Amino acid sequence: MNVAKSGYRVFSANSTPACTELSKKITERLGVELGKSVVYQESNRETRVEIKESVRGQTIFIIQTIPRDVNTAIMELLIMAYALKTSCAKNIIGVIPYFPYSKQCKMRKRGSIVCKLLASMLAKAGLTHIITMDLHQKEIQGFFTFPVDNLRASPFLLQYIQEEVPDYRNAIIVAKSPSAAKRAQSYAERLRLGLAVMHGEAQCSESDMADGRHSPPCVRNTFGHSGLELPLMMAKEKPPITVVGDVGGRIAIIVDDIIDDVEDFVAAAEILKERGAYKIYIMATHGLLSADAPRLIEESAIDEVVVTNTVPHEVQKLQCPKIKTVDVSMILAEAIRRIHNGESMAYLFRNITVDD
């Protein structure tokens, strides 16, 4: 395809090799060249972006993968979007496979909804549309004042299970907490497999802190208005961890959207081993794998961790051979092509359930 006549260009908002790998795969599938730009850090750690070609009247797609330095990546995206806006680009569409701060989408005690703040910043910088994948909560789309296409990685992970997991018909899909049960059920129904749900003290405590329910003390407040008596605030107590469903003699496949701190996954794997599962797989869209995650995975009962390439994790793969990668550049490239040509996006969501 002739880039000059295509009517759109694709830029990478990050210049590091690990982060531009996905951008190169997408442009190869589209048959276009990556836009010419320079993104770098000055000696005082300020981010500078320079666009090296004319973008006047063009539709621009900015691909930004999020490395470990999340805040720098956000500034790169904001500055590049604003640079393109002031260069008279017609439309500026952000391709952000993993949307950062997506876990901070609920009020926590006296905190803030950072995800809403980031959505406002992106709109102010000049973005007019976003393509992302597997938002932590689908309601995040409501934070934006412009269209958001929330693609799904499940078809690629399901294909991996069918092609790469030996004897997958003897597997059972596991939700490591009740909050992940709907996603696990969606996988189980499409693979025609059974479902198991874990609950108890090993589940993530995120939901407990989301609404600040533990902020008041767990005693009656005798101060203040003498005629006002509030009900006693009872603290929640999680029961001992249990597994609802038979995993004995089965392959356990735990599914989730993000795998970052892996302690919960390691603990879940140990419980599943005790219950008789003879192989344990972890399937997740975004493999952040922070801190000592590769070492913990390598030393755990987990047999394989399968993630997509929405987040660069080549270093972690070198540290832990159990980590496998599924390429999702195909669906991102197709989304770009369809948006540019004004085609329907419905084809990309075929056989996708609401709970996926």
Side-chain angles (χ1 to χ4, degrees):
M1 181 184 295
N2 189 326
V3 178
K5 296 181 180 179
S6 65
Y8 75 98
R9 284 179 171 80
V10 180
F11 285 85
S12 175
N14 196 305
S15 57
T16 58
C19 294
T20 56
E21 181 181 355
L22 180 60
S23 303
K24 290 177 180 177
K25 288 182 178 181
I26 291 174
T27 52
E28 286 174 3
R29 291 182 180 276
L30 290 170
V32 302
E33 296 178 1
L34 203 58
K36 295 173 182 167
S37 64
V38 177
V39 182
Y40 63 94
Q41 304 291 318
E42 294 186 340
S43 57
N44 62 355
R45 301 301 295 166
E46 289 185 357
T47 300
R48 184 176 289 274
V49 176
E50 297 176 5
I51 308 299
K52 295 295 186 180
E53 57 183 296
S54 174
V55 296
R56 183 177 296 272
Q58 299 277 324
T59 295
I60 306 299
F61 293 86
I62 308 174
I63 301 173
Q64 178 64 312
T65 51
I66 307 298
R68 292 194 175 189
D69 191 353
V70 178
N71 296 326
T72 297
I74 291 172
M75 286 306 301
E76 290 170 345
L77 178 60
L78 291 171
I79 295 171
M80 177 169 277
Y82 191 67
L84 292 165
K85 178 183 178 182
T86 54
S87 298
C88 299
K90 182 181 179 181
N91 294 305
I92 304 170
I93 301 172
V95 183
I96 314 169
Y98 167 66
F99 195 81
Y101 286 97
S102 59
K103 283 191 173 182
Q104 297 189 46
C105 61
K106 296 179 182 179
M107 182 63 72
R108 295 168 177 263
K109 296 184 180 179
R110 285 163 289 277
S112 61
I113 305 176
V114 183
C115 195
K116 176 66 172 73
L117 171 64
L118 181 55
S120 301
M121 292 167 64
L122 292 172
K124 191 69 175 177
L127 288 181
T128 59
H129 194 145
I130 276 182
I131 302 170
T132 187
M133 181 168 282
D134 281 338
L135 288 170
H136 186 56
Q137 297 288 341
K138 297 177 184 64
E139 293 77 9
I140 291 174
Q141 296 175 79
F143 293 162
F144 295 87
T145 56
F146 50 76
V148 177
D149 286 311
N150 182 28
L151 304 177
R152 305 293 198 274
S154 59
F156 297 91
L157 296 175
L158 290 168
Q159 183 181 21
Y160 184 94
I161 293 172
Q162 292 172 320
E163 295 179 356
E164 303 295 334
V165 176
D167 194 22
Y168 84 92
R169 287 295 180 187
N170 189 37
I172 185 169
I173 305 298
V174 180
K176 75 176 181 65
S177 66
S179 60
K182 288 185 177 180
R183 181 186 300 271
Q185 182 180 359
S186 173
Y187 276 67
E189 289 176 351
R190 281 182 284 174
L191 289 169
R192 311 294 193 271
L193 299 177
L195 175 67
V197 180
M198 305 180 69
H199 71 95
E201 58 188 8
Q203 74 181 53
C204 179
S205 60
E206 176 186 351
S207 59
D208 299 339
M209 300 176 63
D211 56 4
R213 68 185 67 184
H214 290 326
S215 292
C218 297
V219 295
R220 289 190 182 276
N221 189 356
T222 57
F223 302 98
H225 195 280
S226 57
L228 179 64
E229 288 191 6
L230 297 176
L232 181 66
M233 302 295 291
M234 300 297 295
K236 289 170 59 179
E237 291 186 8
K238 294 182 180 178
I241 189 166
T242 58
V243 180
V244 180
D246 183 17
V247 298
R250 312 284 287 277
I251 300 171
I253 302 177
I254 303 175
V255 296
D256 214 333
D257 61 329
I258 300 173
I259 176 168
D260 188 4
D261 297 323
V262 299
E263 285 85 356
D264 287 350
F265 290 93
V266 171
E270 292 176 355
I271 295 295
L272 292 171
K273 278 286 186 182
E274 292 176 3
R275 298 293 194 277
Y278 68 91
K279 268 193 177 181
I280 298 170
Y281 289 79
I282 309 292
M283 298 280 169
T285 303
H286 310 296
L288 306 186
L289 303 170
S290 302
D292 292 332
R295 179 183 59 82
L296 294 174
I297 292 171
E298 185 66 24
E299 296 173 356
S300 72
I302 298 170
D303 292 282
E304 199 167 281
V305 174
V306 182
V307 294
T308 71
N309 57 344
T310 56
V311 178
H313 53 267
E314 293 304 316
V315 174
Q316 291 90 326
K317 286 181 69 175
L318 293 174
Q319 297 171 346
C320 177
K322 291 182 179 181
I323 301 172
K324 308 297 180 184
T325 306
V326 175
D327 181 23
V328 293
S329 62
M330 178 191 300
I331 193 171
L332 294 171
E334 181 63 13
I336 291 173
R337 189 193 67 80
R338 285 175 174 269
I339 288 173
H340 171 65
N341 293 333
E343 298 177 18
S344 171
M345 297 286 284
Y347 179 77
L348 302 182
F349 295 93
R350 66 193 190 284
N351 300 324
I352 298 295
T353 63
V354 175
D355 298 322
D356 196 359

